Amino acid sequence: MAERKYLIAGSILSADLLSLGDDVGAALEAGVDIIHFDVMDFHFVPNLTFGPAFLKALRARYPKAVFDVHLMVAPVTEQIVEAFAEAGASWISFHPEGCVHQERMLSHIRDLGCKAGIVLNPGTAPEFLRYLWDKLDFVLVMTVNPGFGGQKALEPCLIKVAEIKQMAKAAGVTPLIEVDGGVKSENIAHMADCGAQVFVAGSAFFGAKDKRAALQALRAPLGESL
Ligand code: DX5
Ligand code: ZN
């Protein structure tokens, strides 16, 4: 991956599902940094998406891509993280509400060779993260309620991003802070000012006809070119 200050993760939730492989190829060709892979179980969130077989097929076709697996499942089990690690995940994150032993699960994800992250719902307070810093590679802050693409970002979640940034600084750690939901060219600079470095874009990227133009529109407010 290129040395960039900010990274854009395209969410396949908004991809052309009948041509998923080709659409992911087009996204990588356009220069997206990360492919965000939303796993929903119709239980933790009111929607159902992709299992490990989809990831395995994408990984086989794109061996160098960074796949960021966002687990919206409950319970979060070792079996699930192992299945996605085996299928080719690069990053794996889960929601703490679905996992009793969070520290152990983060360690397990790292042991499987993946970057480990926790995801915070809009109503989830970040205080507990201070006890997990040494096991966390990244924090994924939901800026919408998880389950669907195309929603509007919630401002209080961005205040939370700034709080997490402060907490991490005070602790002397530098986990990546990723935001997910309602990322647009109009608000991405504000999100970066709050402390986000990784931006998930579904409708604003995979939903766009011209992926290169969409990526450029997202990078420009960050002061970055394609
Ligand atoms: C929502 C998912 C997101 C979604 C974002 O639950 O976690 O990754 O794809 O979509 P947009 O960018 O359209 O808000
Ligand atoms: Zn997501």
Side-chain angles (χ1 to χ4, degrees), residues 11 13 36-40 68 70 72 140 142 180-181 200:
S11 172
L13 199 58
H36 185 81
F37 191 98
D38 284 311
V39 179
M40 304 186 187
D68 169 26
H70 172 193
M72 283 161 275
L140 176 51
M142 291 309 302
D180 186 3
V200 176

Side-chain angles (χ1 to χ4, degrees), residues 11 36 38 70 72 119 140-146 178-183 191 198-202:
S11 172
H36 185 81
D38 284 311
H70 172 193
M72 283 161 275
V119 197
L140 176 51
V141 181
M142 291 309 302
T143 36
V144 298
N145 287 291
E178 180 176 17
V179 284
D180 186 3
V183 173
M191 290 176 163
V198 186
F199 305 87
V200 176

Side-chain angles (χ1 to χ4, degrees), residues 145-221:
N145 287 291
F148 302 95
Q151 304 178 73
K152 195 172 177 296
L154 301 163
E155 181 63 24
C157 302
L158 295 174
I159 296 169
K160 185 161 57 179
V161 168
E163 286 169 3
I164 294 168
K165 184 82 182 169
Q166 270 307 111
M167 283 169 59
K169 196 173 169 198
V173 293
T174 53
L176 285 169
I177 302 179
E178 180 176 17
V179 284
D180 186 3
V183 173
K184 305 284 169 208
S185 56
E186 294 78 21
N187 61 11
I188 196 166
H190 174 50
M191 290 176 163
D193 286 344
C194 292
Q197 293 144 275
V198 186
F199 305 87
V200 176
S203 43
F205 175 66
F206 263 106
K209 272 209 175 78
D210 183 342
K211 290 190 174 55
R212 228 175 137 72
L215 200 56
Q216 192 157 26
L218 290 167
R219 291 214 204 273

